[in-house]
Amino acid sequence: MIPSPSADAAGGAGGKGWTYTYLGPEGTFTEAALLQVPGAADAERIPATSVTAALEMVRDGRADAAVVPIENSVEGGVSATLDAISAGDPLRIRREILVPITFVLAVRPGLELAGIATVSTHSHAWAQCRDWAEKNIPHAEYLPASSTAAAAVGLQAAEPAYDAAICSPLVAERLGLQVLRSDIGDVADAVTRFVLLSRGGPLPEPTGADKTTLVVPLPEDHPGALMEILDQFSARGVNLSRIESRPTGLFLGDYFFSIDADGHVYDARMADALKGLHRISPNLRFLGSYPRADQREPEIPKHTSDEAFHAADLWLEDLYKD
Ligand SMILES: O=C(O)C(=O)Cc1ccccc1
């Protein structure tokens, strides 16, 4: 393992007196994720109206850290987050948080399923309840909301703009909404992964069960670039847990890869893979190395262990002396 500079006890993953922001309003799944961060329950928490707004608050110093959704087990990556962290002033992922997700259907008082003409929620919640909705409220029009909790709050208006909201059981209860159906998600045991991002600071210490997140622009006019990018990981025994391509938005056909890889940048195999990636795609962005929430340690083949890399370095040094 490459020696690390000293990090604070929490590995820069939060601190006393920190101000946190998150995709709000109160009652979102994102707030539930933030409340898992040690100390956050007693800290100042500022709800933001969008992922972009939350990240801007961190970038311009109004908040020390933000929690945003990045991936869920049913729908995959959260594009708004992947795009917002791939460009602009760089941010660092300090930790990941997993939240099991269950949805309820809250309605305007007195309504039955047949009377629901419009339903609102966050696009990722809608995607996770689509089959249920097709079977149970096939006539209902979907109106996107900035979050599940925002949709729930909207139902409290004197004249709500829609008939039903899909939200968490907790926020429905807190707001005193009428819940018509519970557990309406299409997949039992759905989990969403959230990340805590801050501006900079020390890297969290390696734990042996870590993840590294990268943004790798696909180089132009480089046949076989994707194969070469993947080869940097495979040749060093680094497992990938997520890889998605996203358009940069600059021009048609311009893409970047958003990648999660098992391991810490202080692991020799990961450091070596990043050097290889830098040669292929010099504008790659390192978004952080941080502990895996599930604490699952990867199996490291002997020839890609830190010791094997160290022995190879010594061998080469020796060879130069001859
Ligand atoms: O809208 C919310 O409550 C969020 O936190 C975003 C979201 C939406 C659906 C599943 C997980 C997270």
Side-chain angles (χ1 to χ4, degrees):
M1 200 170 283
I2 296 169
S4 58
S6 64
D8 62 32
K16 256 211 168 113
W18 273 31
T19 298
Y20 295 93
T21 182
Y22 63 97
L23 173 65
E26 278 179 29
T28 56
F29 293 108
T30 312
E31 189 196 30
L34 170 56
L35 291 172
Q36 285 190 34
V37 174
D42 304 317
E44 188 182 0
R45 299 189 303 279
I46 308 173
T49 51
S50 67
V51 165
T52 326
L55 297 182
E56 267 326 293
M57 285 185 74
V58 178
R59 286 186 167 120
D60 68 21
R62 280 174 293 154
D64 298 298
V67 172
V68 291
I70 190 165
E71 177 185 12
N72 76 63
S73 57
V74 180
E75 261 298 286
V78 178
S79 309
T81 300
L82 299 180
D83 295 349
I85 58 181
S86 71
D89 289 346
L91 294 169
R92 279 285 165 83
I93 299 177
R94 299 280 152 196
R95 66 156 67 216
E96 63 173 10
I97 306 139
L98 301 180
V99 178
I101 304 287
T102 52
F103 299 106
V104 300
L105 183 79
V107 293
R108 284 166 48 176
L111 272 189
E112 290 299 329
L113 289 181
I116 297 174
T118 44
V119 56
S120 183
T121 192
H122 187 273
S123 58
H124 268 247
W126 181 242
Q128 292 179 61
C129 301
R130 202 174 283 143
D131 290 348
W132 183 91
E134 258 166 36
K135 280 190 202 104
N136 295 279
I137 44 171
H139 40 272
E141 184 193 347
Y142 165 60
L143 303 175
S146 56
S147 71
T148 55
V153 169
L155 265 193
Q156 287 186 306
E159 290 289 329
Y162 39 86
D163 299 322
I166 294 176
C167 60
S168 79
L170 203 66
V171 79
E173 192 192 318
R174 263 200 225 162
L175 299 179
L177 298 178
Q178 185 181 325
V179 171
L180 196 56
R181 292 287 185 279
S182 295
D183 246 330
I184 64 167
D186 298 328
V187 177
D189 307 325
V191 173
T192 296
R193 178 176 161 237
F194 298 82
V195 285
L196 175 78
L197 293 124
S198 67
R199 281 183 298 279
L203 282 170
E205 292 283 355
T207 63
D210 304 290
K211 222 177 244 184
T212 292
T213 299
L214 304 165
V215 174
V216 184
L218 191 59
E220 256 185 281
D221 302 327
H222 185 142
L226 173 57
M227 193 81 130
E228 284 179 43
I229 287 170
L230 294 178
D231 201 37
Q232 302 311 309
F233 297 104
S234 98
R236 284 135 182 128
V238 176
N239 183 55
L240 303 186
S241 56
R242 186 182 59 82
I243 174 162
E244 286 171 86
S245 66
R246 291 286 310 152
T248 62
L250 296 178
F251 54 89
L252 200 64
D254 197 33
Y255 278 82
F256 67 84
F257 287 98
S258 172
I259 296 175
D260 290 332
D262 287 350
H264 195 286
V265 66
Y266 292 151
D267 297 335
R269 67 186 185 291
M270 182 69 81
D272 213 52
L274 294 200
K275 284 200 275 181
L277 284 176
H278 190 270
R279 284 188 279 106
I280 299 164
S281 183
N283 293 324
L284 90 161
R285 183 178 278 217
F286 170 76
L287 279 171
S289 291
Y290 49 91
R292 286 180 70 106
D294 62 8
Q295 299 180 349
R296 209 176 66 217
E297 293 191 18
E299 272 192 27
I300 315 294
K302 218 168 132 200
H303 69 284
T304 62
S305 65
D306 281 358
E307 293 72 29
F309 275 93
H310 185 58
D313 286 342
L314 291 180
W315 173 74
L316 199 66
E317 270 173 36
D318 239 30
L319 196 140
Y320 290 159
K321 282 188 206 142
D322 291 345

